[in-house]
């Protein structure tokens, strides 16, 4: 569970940092108003509804900063599956973009430890951003009193998207979520008996995405978070039971899962009425909308059974890399991202909720309005697959083990590989 840092404590921490640094950092002092030329922005929002989100943000950027030209450096592949290694190589070889997408939390820590991104505390101060972002998010972005990136949005990982038609055909009431994992599995049996795929799944990171949500459901938020902060023993019987639950659920997925390349083809199976359910982050909401599907009629959504009252969280944020070619342009980009107009335009198209707390819910879909409410009141858990819970090296090891499990089904092997990674990386 993320701790909530009181706003005052945070403001004091930022203030101390500013007092101590005394200026002189040329990149963060660049002038966004007089900047010209191209601003190269690195993301993995390269196609479909994800690109539509980026396009909406770029439109606001173009309006707000007429002297600058957005350069799209996106590398395709959901969850940064290809982008993160390309980025690492570019940073390593001294070829940073003007800004890159990084998840709030442990993933950001990697770039901080490698001294690859600038402290943006002075930008936060100038734009008074501590007043508009939730304190839990600020804490997730702050390291040793310094804050290194600007959040564009908050996504929820633990959502099931379901086909109304497939559920009704299987005799399941689409308006009511199963009470827990067992009840959900019982419904999956009914879908299977009706001749449809119960749960749509793809390969690579999407399996990690499902894995984290079954762990969360099976263990509960506290023990789940303990997997990442050392509080839960990966070798314990409760973790064995959670991995067995994952194994059970995997048994209801499409047999060609490993050959589906990314999340969108799996979500598409639900849209097409070929599968009943897909566990996916709420970027799926943007895809349903883009494809003209109507919530409540074509599809329904609820938290993964057993995770009601928990918001499995991740946030995209943007950085000022050390050695960025156009730092004034970067700061202009960060201004757009943090502005009310930028946050509203982007999140409307992306399915996520604004990081800013002063956005007007009426501007957003019914799903997003419910997510805004839940983010305020739910227990927050950090996403594994999307950088909130663990650093990239740990995630990569776990991803390999989870993907191997897709063919081996060997619970003991997955558990001991995950325990070994925790032993190596947990601090
Ligand atoms: C996440 C990212 C989301 C969305 C998703 C699928 O890691 O935070 O914004 O892009 O991957 O690609």
């Amino acid at each position: 569970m993320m701790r909530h840092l009181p706003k005052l404590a945070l403001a004091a921490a930022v203030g101390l940092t500013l007092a101590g640094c005394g200026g002189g950092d040329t990149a963060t002092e660049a002038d966004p108003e007089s900047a010209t030329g191209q601003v190269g922005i690195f993301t993995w929002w390269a196609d479909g509804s994800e690109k539509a989100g980026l396009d909406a943000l770029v439109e606001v950027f173009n309006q707000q900063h007429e002297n600058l030209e957005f350069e799209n450096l996106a590398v395709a592949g959901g969850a940064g599956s290809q982008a993160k290694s390309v980025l690492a190589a570019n940073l390593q070889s001294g070829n940073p973009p003007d800004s890159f997408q990084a998840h709030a939390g442990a993933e950001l820590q990697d770039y901080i430890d490698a001294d690859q991104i600038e402290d943006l505390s002075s930008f936060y101060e100038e734009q008074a951003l501590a007043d508009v972002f939730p304190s839990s998010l600020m804490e997730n972005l702050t390291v040793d009193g310094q804050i290194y990136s600007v959040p564009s949005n908050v996504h929820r990982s633990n959502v099931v998207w379901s086909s109304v038609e497939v559920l009704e055909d299987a005799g399941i009431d689409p308006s009511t979520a199963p009470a827990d994992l067992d009840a959900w599995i019982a419904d999956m049996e009914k879908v299977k008996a009706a001749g449809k795929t119960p749960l749509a799944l793809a390969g690579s990171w999407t399996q990690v995405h499902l894995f984290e949500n079954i762990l969360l459901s099976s263990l509960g938020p506290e023990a789940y978070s303990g997997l990442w902060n050392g509080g839960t023993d990966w070798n314990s019987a409760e973790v064995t039971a959670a991995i067995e639950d994952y194994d059970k659920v995997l048994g209801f997925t499409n047999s060609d899962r490993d050959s589906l390349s990314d999340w969108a083809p799996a979500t598409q199976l639900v849209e097409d009425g070929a599968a009943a359910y897909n566990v996916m982050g709420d970027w799926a909401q943007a895809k349903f909308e883009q494809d003209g599907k109507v919530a409540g009629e074509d599809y329904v959504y609820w938290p993964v059974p057993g995770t009601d009252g928990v918001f499995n969280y991740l946030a995209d944020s943007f950085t000022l890399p050390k050695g960025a070619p156009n730092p004034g342009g970067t700061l202009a980009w960060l201004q757009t991202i943090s502005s009310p107009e930028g946050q509203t335009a982007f999140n409307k198209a992306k399915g996520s909720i604004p990081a800013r707390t002063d956005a007007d819910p009426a501007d957003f879909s019914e799903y997003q309005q419910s997510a805004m409410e839940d983010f305020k009141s739910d227990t927050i858990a950090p996403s594994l697959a999307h950088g909130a819970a663990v650093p990239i090296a740990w995630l990569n090891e776990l991803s390999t083990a989870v993907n191997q499990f897709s063919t081996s089904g060997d619970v003991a092997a997955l558990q001991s590989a995950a325990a070994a990674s925790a032993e190596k990386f947990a601090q």
Side-chain angles (χ1 to χ4, degrees), residues 245-262:
D245 282 338
Y246 175 65
D247 189 27
K248 253 187 247 167
V249 167
L250 205 60
F252 290 98
T253 62
N254 41 304
S255 56
D256 65 349
R257 58 183 180 248
D258 291 326
S259 61
L260 295 192
S261 58
D262 217 321

Side-chain angles (χ1 to χ4, degrees), residues 129-214:
L129 294 179
D131 298 339
V132 294
F133 292 138
S135 52
S136 59
L137 183 55
M138 291 287 287
E139 190 200 356
N140 219 223
L141 293 164
T142 302
V143 176
D144 295 337
Q146 302 191 322
I147 185 153
Y148 291 87
S149 69
V150 176
S152 49
N153 59 320
V154 170
H155 268 303
R156 186 174 196 172
S157 158
N158 58 321
V159 189
V160 181
W161 308 90
S162 313
S163 159
V164 168
E165 182 193 324
V166 175
L167 293 189
E168 281 176 348
D169 287 352
I172 299 164
D173 174 8
S175 65
T176 316
D180 55 22
L181 211 47
D182 287 342
W184 191 30
I185 287 172
D187 282 351
M188 291 202 217
E189 288 286 5
K190 290 187 197 161
V191 175
K192 197 173 163 187
K196 289 283 169 73
T197 298
L199 182 62
L201 184 63
S204 70
W205 67 271
T206 69
Q207 296 178 3
V208 182
H209 189 103
L210 179 62
F211 182 61
E212 71 176 25
N213 282 300
I214 301 302

Side-chain angles (χ1 to χ4, degrees), residues 384-404:
L384 162 66
H386 307 283
V390 300
I392 292 173
W394 188 352
L395 172 60
N396 286 346
E397 275 199 16
L398 256 182
S399 300
T400 302
V402 169
N403 289 151
Q404 280 169 354

Side-chain angles (χ1 to χ4, degrees), residues 44-45 50 78-79 101 103 155 205 263 283 314 316 350 386:
W44 52 86
W45 299 327
E50 307 232 88
Q101 174 187 0
H103 288 120
H155 268 303
W205 67 271
W263 69 273
W283 43 91
L314 60 125
D316 296 300
K350 188 66 167 62
H386 307 283

